[in-house]
Every structure is written in structure tokens, then in C-alpha cells.
Amino acid sequence: MKRTAIGASAAIAMVLAGATHADLTDPTRPYDGRATNYVEPARGPVLQSTRISAQRKSAVISGRTVSVGDMVDGAVVADIRSYEVILNKAGRETSLRLLPKLTKEKGNAE
């Protein structure tokens, strides 16, 4: 009797928590080739790293090491900064960033 009550309580808890058979996957099941979390690849040049020293500035864009003045996809590397590279193409500037721009917001200290 006591086991039945515990089992019923566990079943009710799973239903209330939203755990269904469809949500559970078998970790021993072979890979079926489908991507579960597809991320679309970036279009155009991708900034991968920057190197800045007293003598030289360089960056790796889409696997290629470039310096200020080099061409990347028809654009000129105008400037290399610590987290950003500025490209200039036909008078139009484009910024490639390693990290997204972060904005500071005032927190609610309670």
C-alpha cells in the first residue's frame, strides 16, 4: 500500500513537472545525423582574433592574417583595435567585432 502511494506521488510529480516520454531521449541510441541545435554560419568575413603590439597590429579574419591596409573581401582594413576591426569598402565603414557590444545598465540594489 505504501509503495503504491509513493509510486502514484512520483507519477503525479512527473506530470506536474511537465516531463513526458517525448521529452526524454535514450542516451545509448545511435546518432541519426540530424542537427539538434543548428546555428546558421556567419555570412561574410568573420573576425577570429586580434594582436596588437607596439610594433604591429594584425588580425585573423576568416582564417587569414591581415594588417592595416590589406584587402578582405574587397574591403580595406582601415583600423585594428583590441576587440574590433574596421573595414572600409567604397567609403562605407563596417565593423567586425570579437564580442558583442555590451551596455551597462543600472541594477536595482534592494
Side-chain angles (χ1 to χ4, degrees):
M1 180 75 166
K2 195 172 191 177
R3 283 188 178 185
T4 306
I6 292 172
S9 297
I12 291 170
M14 286 180 66
V15 170
L16 292 176
T20 63
H21 179 67
D23 293 337
L24 303 175
T25 58
D26 181 3
T28 62
R29 186 176 185 165
Y31 178 65
D32 63 1
R34 291 183 286 162
T36 55
N37 294 329
Y38 178 74
V39 177
E40 188 173 326
R43 298 173 193 245
V46 176
L47 178 61
Q48 295 171 309
S49 71
T50 58
R51 291 177 286 215
I52 299 177
S53 69
Q55 298 84 17
R56 183 175 183 213
K57 292 180 179 182
S58 65
V60 177
I61 300 176
S62 300
R64 185 173 148 231
T65 302
V66 296
S67 298
V68 174
D70 289 349
M71 296 287 287
V72 175
D73 285 351
V76 177
V77 177
D79 193 16
I80 298 174
R81 301 174 185 159
S82 56
Y83 292 99
E84 179 177 45
V85 171
I86 307 298
L87 301 177
N88 192 334
K89 185 175 184 177
R92 185 173 163 204
E93 284 192 350
T94 303
S95 173
L96 302 178
R97 294 189 55 84
L98 283 173
L99 303 171
K101 286 189 177 183
L102 303 176
T103 57
K104 291 185 179 181
E105 296 179 7
K106 288 186 178 184
N108 293 338
E110 293 181 30

